[in-house]
Amino acid sequence: MTGFLNGFENIVRQSEPLAMHTWFQLGGPAEYFAEPETVDQLIALVRRCHEEGVAIRMLGQGSNILIRDEGVPGMVIRLSAPAFCDLQVQGRTLTVGGGALLGRAVTTAVHRGLAGLETLIGIPGTVGGALHGNAGTHSGNIGQWTLQATVIAVGGEVHQRSTEELAFDYRQSSIDDLVILDANCQLEEDNPRELAQRMQKQWIVKKASQPMGHQSAGCVFKNPRGTSAGELIDDAGLKGTRIGGAVVNERHANFIVAEPECTAQDVLRLIDLVRGQVRDRMGVELELELEIW
Ligand code: EPU
């Protein structure tokens, strides 16, 4: 292993294929890939990379990301170890690690009779990823319940971001630090049974309107103000449009599904085609929600 990673041999791998770490299951390798086991190890690794000028990208569950076929240079870090996935409830406060699955946070809150996060049922990914892009639905988003977050800056310093520093908007978050270590959500007391019913309803609606169990990564484009990107793509007549193994989904047009033999390049070309057609036919410029590395 390269000299600059002395001492990190146990947690860093070279040329790690990233496809298997993403929902699209596409794309090339990461030059370096690390799964630290403790917070101290993570901080030390962030510092080392900073000193050496090696760029770091944080990967969550890979459910909102497309990796290019050529892969990514530098270090990719995933907070998969138990130290980053802790979940605790105290009164109305849920404290959850950035590496924990959002779905676990949602169901834990519901079972404890805490309302707020149930609208997020069915959204894949980690809590860190959800906060990074303020994941949400028409009924709510994670940011509106988040009062505090512990983060690590690019230089390795740990900071607390409290209410005054936190601002969330549609698929936008003021947290621009490298790592989201954990967050506190302040929820509302409610009846666990009614909450569970609301959650189930939301889940049924989602299952009926979106492709589940396919190789895809959620909505590709953000909704332009006051309208739905899915509806625009649908109205432009683009459902079923295919490039190579990438197809605009028939159930929800804002999803691209990767079929066998699909490459990241197919998805990228289909994204360009959809964007161009929606611009020409509907007069609207679509902005990506999906992250591309
Ligand atoms: N529609 C169509 N054709 C389609 C898709 C949708 O006509 O192919 C119409 C629907 O009939 C509906 C309207 O568009 O009248 C809105 O559709 P939907 O309720 O499915 O919501 P959306 O605006 O397309 C947003 C989020 C989803 C989230 C749903 C449910 C964005 C980009 N998308 O979709 O989030 O699950 O609301 O709350 O904000 C994601 O962010 O990855 C994502 C999937």
Side-chain angles (χ1 to χ4, degrees):
M1 179 138 332
T2 330
F4 92 93
L5 286 168
N6 277 344
F8 294 101
E9 293 85 354
N10 291 341
I11 56 162
V12 179
R13 302 197 282 275
Q14 265 178 294
S15 301
E16 169 86 354
L18 287 179
M20 62 187 184
H21 296 294
T22 72
W23 278 44
F24 258 134
Q25 295 179 42
L26 302 172
E31 188 177 2
Y32 305 106
F33 181 80
E35 291 180 289
E37 274 152 23
T38 65
V39 174
D40 286 346
Q41 224 173 26
L42 169 64
I43 292 171
L45 181 63
V46 169
R47 286 203 183 123
R48 180 75 59 87
C49 288
H50 186 62
E51 284 157 14
E52 300 287 337
V54 174
I56 298 179
R57 296 164 200 257
M58 298 301 298
L59 181 65
Q61 279 286 105
S63 53
N64 190 41
I65 213 150
L66 174 68
I67 312 284
R68 289 177 197 275
D69 293 316
E70 54 271 36
V72 294
M75 179 71 71
V76 172
I77 301 180
R78 215 164 76 106
L79 303 184
S80 49
F84 305 104
C85 303
D86 201 29
L87 219 155
Q88 287 187 25
V89 178
Q90 251 191 340
R92 293 192 294 123
T93 306
L94 176 82
T95 303
V96 57
L101 290 181
L102 178 63
R104 228 184 104 220
V106 170
T107 49
T108 303
V110 165
H111 290 143
R112 299 292 287 263
L114 293 175
L117 301 182
E118 68 282 0
T119 60
L120 308 181
I121 190 67
I123 299 182
T126 61
V127 167
L131 279 167
H132 171 73
N134 192 20
T137 65
H138 288 297
S139 329
N141 57 65
I142 189 166
Q144 76 189 84
W145 304 100
T146 306
L147 281 194
Q148 197 189 37
T150 313
V151 300
I152 303 177
V154 277
E157 314 83 22
V158 177
H159 299 287
Q160 297 289 333
R161 302 274 176 238
S162 51
T163 330
E164 313 84 64
E165 295 168 278
L166 294 177
F168 296 96
D169 208 335
Y170 171 68
R171 298 297 187 274
Q172 261 189 324
S173 151
S174 60
I175 308 178
D176 56 0
D177 302 279
L178 179 66
V179 182
I180 299 174
L181 259 189
D182 61 44
N184 281 344
C185 295
Q186 188 78 18
L187 303 169
E188 287 167 0
E189 279 168 20
D190 208 329
N191 179 309
R193 196 176 300 169
E194 283 171 20
L195 265 177
Q197 276 170 0
R198 286 216 297 272
M199 181 172 77
Q200 268 162 9
K201 246 188 213 162
Q202 187 98 19
W203 175 244
I204 290 165
V205 170
K206 191 175 169 81
K207 254 171 66 175
S209 60
Q210 296 180 5
M212 311 288 266
H214 286 71
Q215 269 177 245
S216 81
C219 287
V220 175
F221 299 101
K222 291 183 184 176
N223 281 347
R225 197 168 285 274
T227 158
S228 154
E231 193 168 359
L232 285 167
I233 300 166
D234 192 354
D235 289 349
L238 296 169
K239 275 188 173 174
T241 306
R242 167 191 295 273
I243 291 186
V247 187
V248 176
N249 185 246
E250 292 282 356
R251 183 172 293 182
H252 197 299
N254 199 7
F255 283 66
I256 288 179
V257 169
E259 296 191 343
E261 310 299 322
C262 186
T263 63
Q265 187 59 22
D266 292 342
V267 178
L268 289 169
R269 286 175 53 213
L270 188 56
I271 287 172
D272 279 349
L273 183 146
V274 167
R275 209 189 230 153
Q277 295 281 319
V278 169
R279 186 189 303 126
D280 294 348
R281 297 183 193 175
M282 316 301 290
V284 179
E285 189 66 42
L286 291 175
E287 192 190 327
L288 275 181
E289 179 190 291
L290 180 71
E291 256 189 56
I292 297 173
W293 284 5

